[in-house]
Each structure stands twice: as C-alpha cells, then as structure tokens.
Amino acid sequence: MTRLKWTRKTLRKIAGELASFGIQVSANTVGRLLREMDYSLRVNRKEIASSSAPDRNEQMLHIAELRKRFTRAGNPVVSVDTKKKELVGQFKNPGVAWSKSPVLALDHDFRSTAVGMAIPYGLYDWTMNRGSVFVGTSHDTPEFAVESISRWWSAEGSMRYPAARRLLILADGGGSNGPNCRLWKERIQAELCDRYGISVTVSHYPTGASKWNPIEHRLFSEISKNWAGRPLDSYQTILNYIRRTTTMTGLVVTACLVRKKYDTGIKVTNEQMKQLRIVQDSNLPRWNYTIRPRKNVN
C-alpha cells in the first residue's frame, strides 16, 4: 500500500493535513470532532460467519438431545479434545501473575532449548463436573486420544458409573478425534467397546463450532487462567497447575503424564473397517454413530 489512509493517521498528523488546506485546528480539537461524529479507534471484530456446515444448527440440537437422553438414563457424557501444545521450559507464558519481581524467561521460544513438548488430551465429565487431562510427550494421534479415554474409564468412569453400559463422547470435527479418522474408530472398537463391553456413541461438533464443546469453556479455559503468567518449566509444573485448577462450581481435575511413544501415519485398511461394529445414526450419520462390542473377541 502506497497511499496512507486517514484511519491510520494520528490526531497530530490529521491536524497537519488540515493545515495544508488552510484549516488551522489543534490535535485535541480533531479528536473532539471525530468523537462527535461517532468515530473512535476500533479493533477488528470476528462476527462475519465463514462458510459453515449447512446442517450445523440441526447437529447442535441433536447433541443437546443426546446429552439429555444419556443423562436421564444415568449414562456418562464426556467431552474430549486436545488442548494447545506447550513447549516445556523457561519460556514466556502469556498472562500476568502476582509477584514482587518479573519472572525471567528465555528471549526466544526455540524448540531446541525446550525440555520437551506437552500434549494435553483432556476429558470433561459433564454430569460430575470433573476433568481428566493426560499429558502426552510424543504425538497427538487417535491412538493417544482413545487410550486416554480408556484410561479414564478404567480409573474413574467405570467406578463412577458402575451400571452404565453406554457412553456418549462429544468431540470436535477434526484432529485426532475427527469423524473421518479411521484409526479413531478402530481404537474405540478395540480399546473401549471390546475391552470393557460398552457401547460408545460419538457425536461430533460441526466445523467452526468447536468453541461450544463443553471441555473448551468448562476445563481448558480454566487451566489456561490458572497457569497464566508462569513459565511451564517442567512436566511436573504442568501437572501441578492442572491438578490445582478449580472453579466456584466445584470443578475437580486429575492429571497424569503419558510417556508412551505414539507413531504417526498408521493406516486402517478397508478390511479392518468392515470388521468394526459401527451403526450410523439415521440423523446426520457423518457426525453421529455408535460403536458396539463385538462378540467372541479375544
């Protein structure tokens, strides 16, 4: 851009431009006149809806109905997602915290100077207002996602819901737990349905609607506020901040470190997909499906 815009000029420069036309006015007067004409310094506001799924509203209503149905029946409803990856080390963490002096951090966020990478995969139990976070150190893969849910079911879910034979998972429309990910479905079949004998219903939020996923505003946002302004200098520091995250509504969070190495690029063949016991929902089947236990599985 070669031409300056009036909206980018300071009050002093606008007064100077006016002076070149023979209009003598001070910068303060320019500011007052602009305010009288309802002008002010403004930032961009995200309100224009980008391209979204045509069935977005229908899916949101369907998720609400599923949640009510499972809750009334005493079956667990969990919201899952991967939180933003974090470099582990003495790096600057956005936010402020009370302190007598600034906490010093490295001047550059180089991966080579990091202790490692933290990949928090979270699960939020809607009914009990409890969160579980599994901090991986390898890769964010469908295998890691499903094994995290399986660990939760073994340690907490099956104890909290001993009579439940069904589980509802609310997930985003992409990433390691996306609806088009074959490995995500294959692992649910093996690690949850076949291993524990439960039926798992999965409902995905439409593209661009992930902010309505309960885990985002009920768990992840609270964790971010809790560790704001403090360098995440070790895995233990990360776990401590997550475990100490609470809210006025009684949120309780558990956390554990997962050092297992997960490989990327694992393919699931057409033949393997045929062996899965998947029932597509009649309502928006691309986003809603149930996986049931297979019989006679070792």
Side-chain angles (χ1 to χ4, degrees):
M1 295 176 63
T2 57
R3 299 180 61 189
L4 292 175
K5 306 299 181 185
W6 285 87
T7 54
R8 296 291 301 163
K9 292 179 180 290
T10 64
L11 297 179
R12 187 178 298 278
K13 287 184 177 180
I14 294 176
E17 291 283 349
L18 291 173
S20 66
F21 293 104
I23 303 174
Q24 300 297 327
V25 63
S26 69
N28 289 339
T29 300
V30 170
R32 177 176 57 79
L33 292 173
L34 285 172
R35 287 190 293 274
E36 289 176 357
M37 292 186 289
D38 201 29
Y39 281 95
S40 64
L41 293 174
R42 302 181 186 274
V43 298
N44 298 164
R45 181 182 296 176
K46 290 185 177 181
E47 286 194 359
I48 302 175
S50 56
S51 57
S52 60
D55 301 318
R56 170 172 166 166
N57 187 61
E58 184 180 350
Q59 175 64 0
M60 298 297 285
L61 293 174
H62 181 67
I63 289 175
E65 179 58 32
L66 275 177
R67 200 163 59 188
K68 291 179 183 177
R69 190 191 312 165
F70 271 74
T71 302
R72 283 197 300 262
N75 291 314
V77 177
V78 297
S79 169
V80 301
D81 197 12
T82 305
K83 196 179 185 302
K84 183 177 74 72
K85 299 176 182 178
E86 302 285 353
L87 279 178
V88 183
Q90 199 67 24
F91 302 108
K92 180 181 178 181
N93 194 12
V96 295
W98 290 105
S99 178
K100 290 186 176 181
S101 59
V103 178
L104 301 182
L106 294 172
D107 56 355
H108 288 87
D109 297 345
F110 291 137
R111 178 70 184 272
S112 58
T113 59
V115 175
M117 181 70 75
I119 307 168
Y121 189 84
L123 180 147
Y124 176 70
D125 184 336
W126 170 267
T127 306
M128 298 295 181
N129 193 26
R130 293 181 66 96
S132 298
V133 181
F134 301 86
V135 182
T137 61
S138 176
H139 299 284
D140 179 20
T141 69
E143 187 179 11
F144 169 52
V146 176
E147 284 192 7
S148 297
I149 301 172
S150 178
R151 287 188 178 99
W152 169 81
W153 180 258
S154 176
E156 298 184 47
S158 59
M159 310 298 177
R160 207 173 293 154
Y161 305 93
R165 305 318 309 157
R166 299 190 65 190
L167 169 66
L168 173 60
I169 297 177
L170 306 179
D172 282 356
S176 60
N177 45 221
N180 299 321
C181 183
R182 289 186 168 192
L183 186 58
W184 158 255
K185 297 175 181 178
E186 190 276 333
R187 288 290 84 198
I188 288 178
Q189 179 76 76
E191 294 291 334
L192 288 170
C193 302
D194 296 345
R195 173 173 291 186
Y196 300 111
I198 59 174
S199 293
V200 177
T201 297
V202 183
S203 192
H204 295 272
Y205 283 88
T207 303
S210 60
K211 63 183 178 181
W212 280 282
N213 196 347
I215 195 171
E216 296 291 344
H217 50 270
R218 293 292 187 93
L219 179 60
F220 287 167
S221 62
E222 299 300 331
I223 292 173
S224 295
K225 287 189 287 186
N226 195 38
W227 68 30
R230 295 292 186 182
L232 305 177
D233 53 11
S234 70
Y235 286 109
Q236 191 58 51
T237 296
I238 292 174
L239 293 175
N240 289 342
Y241 275 121
I242 294 174
R243 290 165 181 163
R244 290 201 297 263
T245 299
T246 59
T247 63
M248 295 294 288
T249 58
L251 174 68
V252 177
V253 188
T254 60
C256 70
L257 186 65
V258 181
R259 291 194 177 276
K260 178 179 176 179
K261 185 179 184 300
Y262 291 94
D263 295 325
T264 59
I266 298 177
K267 304 296 183 181
V268 176
T269 65
N270 291 336
E271 186 60 34
Q272 288 175 302
M273 289 299 295
K274 290 178 182 178
Q275 296 175 10
L276 305 186
R277 197 178 176 201
I278 300 180
V279 179
Q280 302 292 148
D281 198 308
S282 58
N283 185 15
L284 302 174
R286 68 184 184 278
W287 288 328
N288 304 286
Y289 50 89
T290 298
I291 304 177
R292 296 172 178 169
R294 293 176 291 196
K295 297 179 181 179
N296 302 322
V297 177
N298 295 328

